[in-house]
Each structure stands twice: as C-alpha cells, then as structure tokens.
Amino acid sequence: MSKTVNLEELKQHTSKDKLWLLVSGKIYDVTNFIDEHPGGDEVMLAEAGKDATEAFEDVGHSDEARAMMPAMLVGDFGSLDLKNTAKSAVSGNPPEFEGAVQTGSNVMYFIPLSLLVAYFAWRFYSSS
Ligand code: HEM
C-alpha cells in the first residue's frame, strides 16, 4: 500500500505540528520526531516543502538515523513534481509546472534561432 504524495500535499505539512520531509524521493512524517531530532527542529523546518535530500545527505546521517525512517514513511513523492521542488521555496509562489516547462522549451528554440539570425545578418553585412 504505497501512497503518492504531490507537491501540493507536501506544502500543506510545513509547520512544527504537521511536518513532512522529502528525502530521496520519499515523504516522511517527522512531526513526532522533530523535538527529539539531534540536529534540532530549525534545520528540519528549513527543509519543509522542498527536497531535503541534499541537506539530509550533507550531514552524513548514520545508519541508525536511516533505520528510523521507514517508521515515518508516508509514501512516494510524485515523480513529476520532484523536478520542480528544488526551485520552489515553502513560502514561494505556487509553482507553475506548465509555465516552467514552456519557458524551458522556448529558450531551447530561442538560442539556436537567434544564432541563426545572427549568422545570416553577419553574412549579409560582410558581403555588402
Ligand atoms: C527523517 C529525517 C531525519 C531523521 C530520521 C534524522 C535523524 C537524525 C539523527 C538520529 C541524528 C543523530 C546523528 C546520526 O545518527 O546521524 C541526526 C543529526 C543531525 N541531523 Fe538529522 N534527521 C533527519 C533529517 C534531517 C534534515 C532534513 C536535516 C537538515 C539539515 C538534518 C540535520 C541534522 C544535523 C545538522 C544533525 C547533526 C547534529 C549534531 O551532530 O549536532 N536532519 N539526525
């Protein structure tokens, strides 16, 4: 029985009395653990609503720490959302997924196109 959590749900659990963390593509409910966390509550709250994997791994958590995590597991994080999470902070604007993808592909067309235009402009001016 595996639940899939999306970014919307992750962002609804960003307070001390309702905190979920995203680590390595999985969602953990750390609400009952936050006061016991040896690293303190602030570092955990700072990772709320976004991908906490890097922060978690940078600390070099022990096997004991990792062994606690299955008990806190809520489910998997929606894979589509994962790409956009790193960029969006907790209090930021709601991520515009379609917008982000659209902008990305526009830029991909724009750069080679403008190079092409520049090339023909250069040819035109250097031959006249
Ligand atoms: C489910 C998630 C987490 C669990 C179960 C967890 C558990 C633990 C445990 C057991 C320790 C003690 C040292 C060890 O055994 O490695 C620890 C230390 C620490 N954790 Fe976490 N942690 C989690 C998430 C995070 C996150 C997201 C951060 C963000 C930066 C963080 C930052 C720290 C820090 C800085 C320490 C070091 C405390 C010290 O040595 O003074 N932890 N954590």
Side-chain angles (χ1 to χ4, degrees), residues 22 36 43 46 55 74 85 102 127:
L22 168 57
E36 292 151 43
V43 288
V74 176
T85 315
Q102 198 55 47
S127 62

Side-chain angles (χ1 to χ4, degrees), residues 13-127:
H13 298 82
T14 55
S15 64
K16 219 190 142 182
D17 51 316
K18 223 170 54 177
L19 181 61
W20 288 3
L21 288 183
L22 168 57
V23 179
S24 304
K26 291 192 158 44
I27 300 287
Y28 298 95
D29 184 346
V30 297
T31 312
N32 296 323
F33 177 66
I34 187 163
D35 284 330
E36 292 151 43
H37 181 228
D41 57 357
E42 274 175 31
V43 288
M44 279 190 155
L45 281 164
E47 298 305 319
K50 56 183 179 178
D51 193 346
T53 310
E54 211 179 304
F56 179 84
E57 294 300 343
D58 281 353
V59 172
H61 280 91
S62 67
D63 289 344
E64 283 78 13
R66 287 162 205 273
M68 294 171 163
M69 294 170 74
M72 305 175 198
L73 187 68
V74 176
D76 291 321
F77 188 61
S79 57
L80 179 75
D81 294 344
L82 191 58
K83 301 185 193 99
N84 299 286
T85 315
K87 288 177 232 151
S88 52
V90 182
S91 53
N93 296 325
E96 306 289 347
F97 292 132
E98 275 87 326
V101 171
Q102 198 55 47
T103 313
S105 49
N106 278 348
V107 169
M108 275 161 66
Y109 286 114
F110 183 73
I111 292 172
L113 256 176
S114 45
L115 285 174
L116 208 66
V117 170
Y119 172 68
F120 282 109
W122 171 75
R123 279 206 32 185
F124 176 78
Y125 284 111
S126 55
S127 62

